[in-house]
Coordinates of all heavy atoms in Angstrom, one line a residue:
M882 N -11.6 6.0 33.5 CA -10.2 6.4 33.3 C -9.4 5.2 32.9 O -8.6 5.3 32.0 CB -9.8 7.1 34.6 CG -8.4 7.7 34.5 SD -8.3 9.0 33.3 CE -6.6 9.4 33.2
R883 N -9.5 4.1 33.7 CA -8.7 3.0 33.5 C -9.1 2.3 32.1 O -8.2 1.8 31.4 CB -8.9 2.0 34.6 CG -8.1 0.8 34.6 CD -7.8 0.3 36.0 NE -6.9 -0.9 35.9 CZ -5.6 -0.8 35.9 NH1 -5.0 0.4 35.9 NH2 -4.8 -1.9 35.9
A884 N -10.4 2.4 31.8 CA -10.8 1.8 30.5 C -10.2 2.6 29.3 O -9.8 2.0 28.3 CB -12.3 1.8 30.4
S885 N -10.2 3.9 29.4 CA -9.6 4.7 28.3 C -8.1 4.5 28.2 O -7.6 4.4 27.1 CB -9.9 6.2 28.6 OG -9.2 6.6 29.7
L886 N -7.4 4.3 29.3 CA -6.0 4.0 29.2 C -5.8 2.6 28.5 O -4.9 2.5 27.7 CB -5.4 3.9 30.7 CG -5.0 5.3 31.3 CD1 -4.4 5.1 32.7 CD2 -4.0 6.0 30.4
T887 N -6.6 1.7 28.9 CA -6.5 0.4 28.2 C -6.7 0.5 26.7 O -6.0 -0.1 25.9 CB -7.5 -0.6 28.8 OG1 -7.3 -0.6 30.2 CG2 -7.3 -2.0 28.3
A888 N -7.8 1.3 26.4 CA -8.1 1.5 24.9 C -6.9 2.1 24.2 O -6.5 1.7 23.1 CB -9.3 2.3 24.8
I889 N -6.3 3.2 24.8 CA -5.1 3.8 24.2 C -4.0 2.9 24.0 O -3.3 2.8 23.0 CB -4.7 5.1 25.1 CG1 -5.8 6.1 24.9 CG2 -3.4 5.6 24.6 CD1 -5.6 7.3 25.9
A890 N -3.8 2.0 25.1 CA -2.7 1.0 25.0 C -2.9 0.1 23.8 O -2.0 -0.3 23.1 CB -2.5 0.3 26.3
I891 N -4.2 -0.4 23.7 CA -4.5 -1.4 22.6 C -4.3 -0.7 21.3 O -3.7 -1.3 20.3 CB -6.0 -1.9 22.8 CG1 -6.0 -2.8 24.0 CG2 -6.4 -2.6 21.6 CD1 -7.4 -3.2 24.4
L892 N -4.8 0.5 21.1 CA -4.7 1.2 19.8 C -3.2 1.5 19.5 O -2.8 1.3 18.4 CB -5.4 2.6 19.9 CG -6.9 2.5 19.8 CD1 -7.5 3.9 19.9 CD2 -7.3 1.9 18.4
A893 N -2.4 1.8 20.5 CA -0.9 2.0 20.3 C -0.3 0.7 19.8 O 0.6 0.7 18.9 CB -0.3 2.6 21.5
A894 N -0.7 -0.4 20.5 CA -0.1 -1.7 20.1 C -0.5 -2.1 18.7 O 0.3 -2.6 17.9 CB -0.6 -2.7 21.1
L895 N -1.8 -1.8 18.3 CA -2.2 -2.1 17.0 C -1.4 -1.2 15.9 O -1.0 -1.7 14.9 CB -3.7 -1.8 16.8 CG -4.6 -2.9 17.5 CD1 -6.1 -2.4 17.3 CD2 -4.4 -4.2 16.8
A896 N -1.3 0.1 16.3 CA -0.5 0.9 15.3 C 0.9 0.5 15.2 O 1.5 0.5 14.1 CB -0.6 2.4 15.8
L897 N 1.5 0.1 16.3 CA 2.9 -0.4 16.2 C 3.0 -1.7 15.4 O 3.9 -1.8 14.6 CB 3.4 -0.6 17.7 CG 4.9 -0.9 17.8 CD1 5.7 0.4 17.4 CD2 5.3 -1.3 19.2
G898 N 2.0 -2.6 15.6 CA 2.0 -3.8 14.8 C 1.9 -3.5 13.4 O 2.5 -4.2 12.5
Y899 N 1.0 -2.6 13.0 CA 0.8 -2.2 11.6 C 2.0 -1.6 11.0 O 2.4 -1.9 9.9 CB -0.4 -1.3 11.5 CG -0.7 -0.9 10.1 CD1 -1.2 -1.8 9.2 CD2 -0.5 0.4 9.6 CE1 -1.5 -1.5 7.9 CE2 -0.8 0.7 8.3 CZ -1.3 -0.2 7.5 OH -1.5 0.1 6.2
A900 N 2.7 -0.7 11.8 CA 3.9 -0.1 11.3 C 5.0 -1.2 11.1 O 5.7 -1.1 10.0 CB 4.4 0.9 12.3
V901 N 5.1 -2.1 12.0 CA 6.1 -3.2 11.8 C 5.8 -4.0 10.6 O 6.7 -4.3 9.8 CB 6.2 -4.0 13.1 CG1 7.0 -5.3 12.8 CG2 6.8 -3.2 14.2
S902 N 4.5 -4.3 10.4 CA 4.2 -5.2 9.3 C 4.4 -4.4 8.0 O 4.7 -5.0 6.9 CB 2.7 -5.6 9.4 OG 1.8 -4.6 9.0
C903 N 4.2 -3.1 8.0 CA 4.4 -2.3 6.8 C 5.9 -2.2 6.5 O 6.3 -2.2 5.3 CB 3.9 -0.9 6.9 SG 2.1 -0.8 6.6
A904 N 6.7 -2.3 7.5 CA 8.2 -2.2 7.3 C 8.7 -3.6 6.8 O 9.6 -3.6 6.0 CB 8.9 -1.9 8.6
V905 N 8.1 -4.7 7.3 CA 8.5 -6.0 6.9 C 8.0 -6.3 5.5 O 8.8 -6.8 4.6 CB 8.0 -7.0 7.9 CG1 8.3 -8.4 7.4 CG2 8.7 -6.8 9.2
R906 N 6.7 -6.0 5.2 CA 6.1 -6.3 3.9 C 5.5 -5.0 3.4 O 4.3 -4.8 3.6 CB 5.1 -7.4 4.0 CG 5.7 -8.8 4.3 CD 4.6 -9.8 4.3 NE 3.9 -9.8 3.0 CZ 2.9 -10.6 2.7 NH1 2.3 -11.3 3.6 NH2 2.4 -10.5 1.5
P907 N 6.3 -4.2 2.6 CA 5.7 -2.9 2.2 C 4.8 -3.0 1.0 O 4.0 -2.1 0.8 CB 7.0 -2.1 1.8 CG 8.0 -3.2 1.5 CD 7.7 -4.3 2.4
Y908 N 4.7 -4.2 0.4 CA 3.9 -4.3 -0.8 C 2.7 -5.3 -0.5 O 2.9 -6.2 0.2 CB 4.6 -4.8 -2.0 CG 5.6 -3.8 -2.5 CD1 7.0 -3.9 -2.2 CD2 5.2 -2.8 -3.4 CE1 7.9 -2.9 -2.6 CE2 6.1 -1.8 -3.8 CZ 7.4 -1.9 -3.4 OH 8.3 -1.0 -3.9
R909 N 1.6 -5.1 -1.2 CA 0.5 -6.0 -1.1 C 0.0 -6.2 -2.6 O 0.4 -5.5 -3.5 CB -0.6 -5.5 -0.3 CG -1.2 -4.2 -0.8 CD -2.4 -3.8 0.0 NE -2.7 -2.4 -0.2 CZ -3.4 -1.9 -1.2 NH1 -3.7 -2.7 -2.2 NH2 -3.7 -0.6 -1.3
D910 N -0.8 -7.3 -2.8 CA -1.3 -7.5 -4.1 C -2.2 -6.4 -4.5 O -2.9 -5.9 -3.8 CB -2.0 -8.9 -4.1 CG -1.1 -10.0 -4.1 OD1 0.1 -9.8 -4.3 OD2 -1.5 -11.2 -3.9
C911 N -2.1 -6.1 -5.8 CA -3.0 -5.1 -6.4 C -4.5 -5.6 -6.3 O -4.8 -6.7 -6.5 CB -2.7 -4.9 -7.9 SG -3.7 -3.8 -8.7
W912 N -5.3 -4.6 -5.9 CA -6.7 -5.0 -5.6 C -7.5 -5.2 -6.9 O -8.5 -5.9 -7.0 CB -7.4 -3.9 -4.8 CG -7.4 -2.6 -5.4 CD1 -6.5 -1.6 -5.3 CD2 -8.4 -2.0 -6.3 NE1 -6.8 -0.5 -6.0 CE2 -8.0 -0.7 -6.6 CE3 -9.6 -2.5 -6.7 CZ2 -8.8 0.1 -7.5 CZ3 -10.4 -1.7 -7.6 CH2 -9.9 -0.4 -7.9
L913 N -7.0 -4.5 -8.0 CA -7.7 -4.6 -9.2 C -7.4 -5.8 -10.1 O -8.3 -6.4 -10.6 CB -7.3 -3.3 -10.1 CG -8.2 -3.0 -11.2 CD1 -9.7 -2.8 -10.8 CD2 -7.8 -1.8 -11.9
C914 N -6.2 -6.3 -10.1 CA -5.8 -7.5 -10.9 C -5.4 -8.7 -10.0 O -5.0 -9.7 -10.5 CB -4.7 -7.1 -11.8 SG -3.2 -6.6 -11.0
D915 N -5.6 -8.6 -8.7 CA -5.3 -9.6 -7.7 C -3.8 -10.1 -7.8 O -3.5 -11.3 -7.7 CB -6.2 -10.8 -7.9 CG -7.6 -10.5 -7.4 OD1 -7.7 -9.7 -6.5 OD2 -8.5 -11.1 -7.9
G916 N -2.9 -9.2 -8.1 CA -1.5 -9.5 -8.1 C -1.0 -10.1 -9.4 O 0.1 -10.5 -9.5
R917 N -1.9 -10.2 -10.4 CA -1.4 -10.8 -11.7 C -0.7 -9.8 -12.6 O 0.1 -10.2 -13.4 CB -2.6 -11.4 -12.4 CG -3.1 -12.7 -11.8 CD -4.2 -13.3 -12.7 NE -5.3 -12.4 -12.9 CZ -6.4 -12.4 -12.1 NH1 -6.6 -13.3 -11.2 NH2 -7.4 -11.6 -12.3
G918 N -1.1 -8.5 -12.5 CA -0.5 -7.5 -13.3 C -1.2 -7.3 -14.6 O -0.9 -6.4 -15.4
H919 N -2.1 -8.2 -14.9 CA -2.9 -8.1 -16.2 C -4.3 -8.3 -15.9 O -4.7 -9.0 -14.9 CB -2.4 -9.1 -17.2 CG -1.1 -8.8 -17.8 ND1 0.1 -9.1 -17.1 CD2 -0.7 -8.2 -18.9 CE1 1.1 -8.7 -17.8 NE2 0.7 -8.2 -18.9
H920 N -5.2 -7.7 -16.7 CA -6.6 -8.0 -16.6 C -7.0 -9.2 -17.4 O -6.4 -9.4 -18.5 CB -7.4 -6.7 -17.1 CG -7.2 -5.5 -16.2 ND1 -7.7 -5.5 -14.9 CD2 -6.5 -4.4 -16.4 CE1 -7.3 -4.3 -14.4 NE2 -6.6 -3.6 -15.2
R921 N -7.9 -10.0 -16.9 CA -8.3 -11.1 -17.6 C -9.6 -10.7 -18.4 O -10.6 -10.3 -17.8 CB -8.6 -12.3 -16.7 CG -8.7 -13.6 -17.3 CD -9.0 -14.6 -16.2 NE -7.9 -14.8 -15.3 CZ -6.9 -15.6 -15.6 NH1 -6.9 -16.3 -16.7 NH2 -5.9 -15.8 -14.7
S922 N -9.6 -10.9 -19.6 CA -10.8 -10.6 -20.4 C -11.8 -11.8 -20.3 O -11.4 -13.0 -20.2 CB -10.4 -10.4 -21.9 OG -10.0 -11.6 -22.4
K923 N -13.0 -11.5 -20.1 CA -14.0 -12.5 -19.9 C -14.3 -13.4 -21.1 O -14.6 -14.5 -21.0 CB -15.3 -11.9 -19.3 CG -15.1 -11.5 -17.9 CD -16.3 -10.6 -17.4 CE -16.0 -10.1 -16.0 NZ -16.8 -9.0 -15.6
R924 N -14.3 -12.8 -22.3 CA -14.7 -13.5 -23.5 C -13.6 -14.4 -24.0 O -13.8 -15.5 -24.4 CB -15.1 -12.5 -24.5 CG -16.6 -12.2 -24.5 CD -17.0 -11.3 -25.6 NE -16.7 -9.9 -25.2 CZ -16.7 -8.9 -26.0 NH1 -17.0 -9.1 -27.3 NH2 -16.4 -7.7 -25.6
K925 N -12.3 -13.8 -24.0 CA -11.3 -14.6 -24.7 C -10.5 -15.6 -23.8 O -9.8 -16.4 -24.3 CB -10.2 -13.6 -25.3 CG -10.8 -12.7 -26.4 CD -9.8 -11.8 -26.9 CE -10.4 -10.9 -28.0 NZ -9.4 -9.8 -28.4
R926 N -10.7 -15.5 -22.5 CA -10.1 -16.4 -21.5 C -8.6 -16.4 -21.6 O -8.0 -17.5 -21.6 CB -10.6 -17.9 -21.7 CG -12.1 -18.0 -21.3 CD -12.5 -19.4 -21.2 NE -13.8 -19.5 -20.5 CZ -14.0 -20.1 -19.4 NH1 -13.0 -20.7 -18.8 NH2 -15.2 -20.1 -18.9
K927 N -8.0 -15.3 -21.8 CA -6.6 -15.2 -21.8 C -6.2 -13.9 -21.1 O -7.0 -13.0 -21.0 CB -6.0 -15.3 -23.2 CG -6.4 -14.1 -24.0 CD -5.7 -14.2 -25.4 CE -6.0 -12.9 -26.2 NZ -5.4 -12.9 -27.5
L928 N -4.9 -13.7 -20.7 CA -4.5 -12.5 -20.1 C -4.4 -11.4 -21.2 O -3.8 -11.6 -22.2 CB -3.1 -12.7 -19.5 CG -3.0 -13.6 -18.3 CD1 -1.6 -13.7 -17.8 CD2 -3.9 -13.1 -17.1
S929 N -5.1 -10.3 -20.9 CA -5.1 -9.2 -21.9 C -4.3 -8.1 -21.4 O -3.2 -8.2 -20.9 CB -6.6 -8.8 -22.1 OG -7.1 -8.4 -20.9
R930 N -4.8 -6.9 -21.5 CA -4.0 -5.6 -21.3 C -3.4 -5.6 -19.9 O -4.0 -6.1 -19.0 CB -4.9 -4.4 -21.6 CG -6.1 -4.4 -20.8 CD -7.1 -3.4 -21.3 NE -8.4 -3.6 -20.8 CZ -8.7 -3.1 -19.6 NH1 -7.9 -2.4 -18.9 NH2 -9.9 -3.4 -19.1
P931 N -2.2 -4.9 -19.8 CA -1.6 -4.8 -18.5 C -2.4 -3.8 -17.6 O -3.1 -3.0 -18.0 CB -0.3 -4.1 -18.8 CG -0.4 -3.6 -20.1 CD -1.4 -4.4 -20.9
C932 N -2.3 -4.1 -16.3 CA -3.0 -3.3 -15.3 C -2.5 -1.9 -15.2 O -1.3 -1.7 -15.0 CB -3.0 -4.0 -14.0 SG -3.8 -3.1 -12.6
R933 N -3.3 -0.9 -15.3 CA -2.8 0.5 -15.2 C -2.6 0.9 -13.7 O -1.9 1.8 -13.4 CB -3.8 1.4 -15.9 CG -3.7 1.4 -17.3 CD -4.5 2.5 -17.9 NE -5.9 2.4 -17.6 CZ -6.8 3.3 -17.9 NH1 -6.4 4.4 -18.5 NH2 -8.1 3.2 -17.6
W934 N -3.4 0.3 -12.8 CA -3.3 0.7 -11.4 C -2.0 0.4 -10.8 O -1.5 1.1 -10.0 CB -4.5 0.0 -10.7 CG -4.7 0.5 -9.3 CD1 -4.4 -0.2 -8.1 CD2 -5.2 1.7 -8.9 NE1 -4.7 0.6 -7.1 CE2 -5.2 1.8 -7.5 CE3 -5.8 2.8 -9.6 CZ2 -5.7 2.9 -6.8 CZ3 -6.2 3.9 -8.9 CH2 -6.2 3.9 -7.5
C935 N -1.4 -0.8 -11.2 CA -0.1 -1.2 -10.5 C 1.0 -1.2 -11.6 O 2.1 -1.7 -11.3 CB -0.3 -2.6 -9.9 SG -0.7 -3.8 -11.1
S936 N 0.8 -0.6 -12.8 CA 1.8 -0.6 -13.8 C 2.3 -2.0 -14.2 O 3.5 -2.2 -14.4 CB 3.0 0.3 -13.5 OG 2.6 1.6 -13.1
A937 N 1.4 -3.0 -14.2 CA 1.6 -4.4 -14.6 C 2.6 -5.1 -13.7 O 3.2 -6.1 -14.0 CB 2.1 -4.4 -16.0
T938 N 2.8 -4.6 -12.5 CA 3.7 -5.3 -11.5 C 2.9 -6.2 -10.6 O 3.5 -7.2 -10.1 CB 4.5 -4.3 -10.6 OG1 3.5 -3.5 -9.9 CG2 5.4 -3.4 -11.4
G939 N 1.6 -6.0 -10.5 CA 0.8 -6.8 -9.6 C 1.0 -6.4 -8.1 O 0.3 -7.0 -7.3
K940 N 1.8 -5.5 -7.8 CA 2.0 -5.1 -6.4 C 1.7 -3.6 -6.2 O 2.0 -2.8 -7.1 CB 3.5 -5.3 -6.0 CG 3.9 -6.8 -6.1 CD 3.3 -7.6 -5.1 CE 3.6 -9.1 -5.2 NZ 2.7 -9.9 -4.4
R941 N 1.2 -3.3 -5.1 CA 1.0 -1.9 -4.7 C 1.6 -1.6 -3.3 O 1.6 -2.5 -2.5 CB -0.5 -1.6 -4.6 CG -1.2 -1.7 -5.9 CD -1.1 -0.5 -6.7 NE -1.6 0.7 -6.0 CZ -1.4 1.9 -6.4 NH1 -0.7 2.2 -7.4 NH2 -2.0 2.9 -5.7
L942 N 2.1 -0.4 -3.1 CA 2.6 0.0 -1.8 C 1.4 0.0 -0.8 O 0.4 0.5 -1.2 CB 3.3 1.3 -1.9 CG 4.8 1.4 -2.0 CD1 5.2 2.9 -1.9 CD2 5.5 0.6 -1.0
R943 N 1.7 -0.5 0.4 CA 0.6 -0.5 1.4 C 0.4 1.0 1.8 O 1.3 1.8 1.7 CB 1.0 -1.4 2.5 CG 0.9 -2.8 2.1 CD 1.4 -3.7 3.2 NE 0.5 -3.7 4.3 CZ 0.8 -4.4 5.4 NH1 1.9 -5.1 5.6 NH2 -0.1 -4.4 6.4
Y944 N -0.7 1.3 2.4 CA -1.1 2.7 2.7 C -0.1 3.2 3.8 O 0.3 4.3 3.7 CB -2.5 2.7 3.2 CG -3.0 4.1 3.4 CD1 -3.2 4.9 2.2 CD2 -3.3 4.7 4.6 CE1 -3.7 6.2 2.3 CE2 -3.7 6.0 4.7 CZ -3.9 6.7 3.6 OH -4.4 8.0 3.7
G945 N 0.2 2.4 4.8 CA 1.1 2.9 5.9 C 2.5 3.2 5.4 O 3.1 4.1 5.8
R946 N 2.9 2.3 4.4 CA 4.3 2.5 3.9 C 4.3 3.8 3.0 O 5.3 4.5 2.9 CB 4.6 1.3 3.0 CG 6.0 1.4 2.5 CD 7.1 1.3 3.5 NE 8.4 1.4 3.0 CZ 9.5 0.8 3.5 NH1 9.4 0.1 4.6 NH2 10.6 1.0 2.9
R947 N 3.2 4.1 2.3 CA 3.1 5.3 1.5 C 3.2 6.5 2.3 O 3.9 7.5 2.0 CB 1.8 5.3 0.6 CG 2.0 6.0 -0.7 CD 0.7 5.8 -1.5 NE 0.4 4.4 -1.7 CZ -0.8 4.0 -2.0 NH1 -1.8 4.8 -2.2 NH2 -1.0 2.7 -2.2
L948 N 2.5 6.5 3.5 CA 2.5 7.6 4.4 C 3.9 7.8 5.0 O 4.4 8.9 5.1 CB 1.6 7.3 5.6 CG 0.1 7.7 5.5 CD1 -0.6 7.3 6.7 CD2 0.0 9.2 5.2
W949 N 4.6 6.6 5.3 CA 6.0 6.7 5.8 C 6.9 7.3 4.8 O 7.7 8.2 5.1 CB 6.4 5.3 6.2 CG 7.9 5.2 6.5 CD1 8.9 4.7 5.8 CD2 8.5 5.6 7.8 NE1 10.0 4.8 6.5 CE2 9.8 5.3 7.7 CE3 8.0 6.2 8.9 CZ2 10.7 5.7 8.7 CZ3 8.8 6.5 9.9 CH2 10.2 6.3 9.8
N950 N 6.8 6.9 3.5 CA 7.6 7.4 2.4 C 7.4 8.9 2.3 O 8.3 9.7 2.1 CB 7.4 6.7 1.1 CG 8.0 5.3 1.1 OD1 8.7 4.9 2.0 ND2 7.6 4.5 0.1
R951 N 6.1 9.4 2.3 CA 5.8 10.8 2.2 C 6.4 11.6 3.3 O 7.0 12.7 3.1 CB 4.3 11.0 2.1 CG 3.9 12.4 2.0 CD 2.5 12.5 1.7 NE 2.1 11.9 0.4 CZ 0.9 11.8 -0.1 NH1 -0.1 12.3 0.6 NH2 0.7 11.3 -1.3
A952 N 6.3 11.0 4.5 CA 6.9 11.7 5.7 C 8.4 11.8 5.6 O 9.0 12.9 5.9 CB 6.5 11.0 7.0
R953 N 9.0 10.8 5.1 CA 10.5 10.8 4.9 C 10.9 11.9 3.9 O 11.8 12.6 4.1 CB 11.0 9.5 4.4 CG 11.0 8.4 5.5 CD 12.1 8.5 6.5 NE 13.4 8.7 5.8 CZ 14.3 7.8 5.9 NH1 14.2 6.7 6.5 NH2 15.5 8.0 5.2
R954 N 10.1 12.0 2.8 CA 10.4 12.9 1.7 C 10.2 14.4 2.3 O 11.1 15.2 2.0 CB 9.4 12.7 0.5 CG 9.9 13.4 -0.7 CD 9.0 13.0 -1.9 NE 8.8 11.6 -2.0 CZ 7.6 11.0 -2.1 NH1 6.5 11.8 -2.2 NH2 7.4 9.7 -2.2
V955 N 9.2 14.6 3.0 CA 8.9 15.9 3.6 C 10.1 16.3 4.5 O 10.6 17.4 4.5 CB 7.6 16.0 4.3 CG1 7.5 17.2 5.2 CG2 6.4 15.9 3.3
H956 N 10.5 15.3 5.3 CA 11.6 15.6 6.3 C 12.9 15.9 5.6 O 13.6 16.7 6.0 CB 11.7 14.3 7.2 CG 12.8 14.5 8.3 ND1 12.6 15.4 9.3 CD2 14.0 14.0 8.4 CE1 13.7 15.3 10.1 NE2 14.5 14.5 9.5
R957 N 13.1 15.1 4.5 CA 14.4 15.3 3.8 C 14.4 16.6 3.1 O 15.5 17.2 3.0 CB 14.5 14.1 2.8 CG 15.9 13.9 2.3 CD 16.1 12.6 1.4 NE 15.1 12.6 0.4 CZ 14.2 11.6 0.2 NH1 14.3 10.5 1.0 NH2 13.4 11.6 -0.8
N958 N 13.3 17.0 2.5 CA 13.3 18.3 1.7 C 13.0 19.5 2.6 O 12.8 20.6 2.1 CB 12.2 18.2 0.6 CG 12.5 17.1 -0.4 OD1 13.6 16.7 -0.5 ND2 11.5 16.6 -1.0
A959 N 12.9 19.3 3.9 CA 12.5 20.4 4.8 C 13.5 21.6 4.7 O 13.2 22.8 4.7 CB 12.4 19.9 6.2
G960 N 14.8 21.3 4.6 CA 15.8 22.4 4.6 C 16.0 23.0 3.3 O 16.6 24.1 3.2
V961 N 15.5 22.4 2.2 CA 15.8 22.9 0.9 C 15.1 24.2 0.5 O 15.6 25.1 -0.1 CB 15.6 21.8 -0.2 CG1 15.8 22.4 -1.6 CG2 16.4 20.6 0.1
A962 N 13.8 24.3 1.0 CA 12.9 25.3 0.5 C 13.3 26.7 1.2 O 12.8 27.7 0.7 CB 11.5 25.0 0.9
R963 N 14.0 26.7 2.2 CA 14.3 27.9 2.9 C 15.2 28.9 2.3 O 16.0 28.7 1.5 CB 14.8 27.7 4.3 CG 13.6 27.5 5.3 CD 14.1 27.3 6.7 NE 14.5 26.0 6.9 CZ 15.3 25.6 7.9 NH1 15.8 26.4 8.8 NH2 15.7 24.3 8.0
Ligands
ZN457 ZN1 -3.0 -4.3 -10.9

């Protein structure tokens, strides 16, 4: 019983820390282009076409922040559909 309470407390603390970090830094580097915004072609050794995954910004919204934005949108639009 005591061990499960400790585990729940640890998980809650981790979730809270992740939520705070998502609020402070909502963006992370794009995994496909490593934050450059462009793909590097191997043969020509120069920056080539823009990254489609991040729209050439090099940044992606973090998963927790995307969930938060979706929850906010659902909450905001809740009264409209009725
Ligand atoms: Zn990218």
Side-chain angles (χ1 to χ4, degrees):
M882 187 62 189
R883 186 149 179 88
S885 64
L886 277 179
T887 306
I889 289 172
I891 289 173
L892 283 177
L895 285 177
L897 190 67
Y899 181 68
V901 168
S902 80
C903 280
V905 172
R906 290 187 57 187
Y908 293 97
R909 60 175 164 77
D910 284 348
C911 175
W912 60 271
L913 193 60
C914 60
D915 288 330
R917 286 187 299 264
H919 290 78
H920 294 291
R921 195 181 293 275
S922 67
K923 285 169 185 166
R924 268 182 280 169
K925 293 178 182 174
R926 292 195 169 239
K927 66 176 184 179
L928 292 177
S929 58
R930 60 196 162 81
C932 177
R933 283 191 299 174
W934 190 252
C935 60
S936 304
T938 58
K940 300 289 176 194
R941 293 281 298 168
L942 262 184
R943 292 172 70 183
Y944 191 69
R946 183 66 181 213
R947 210 173 306 160
L948 274 179
W949 172 255
N950 287 351
R951 180 170 296 177
R953 289 285 308 248
R954 196 176 311 131
V955 166
H956 182 73
R957 198 172 51 231
N958 296 337
V961 176
R963 272 185 280 163

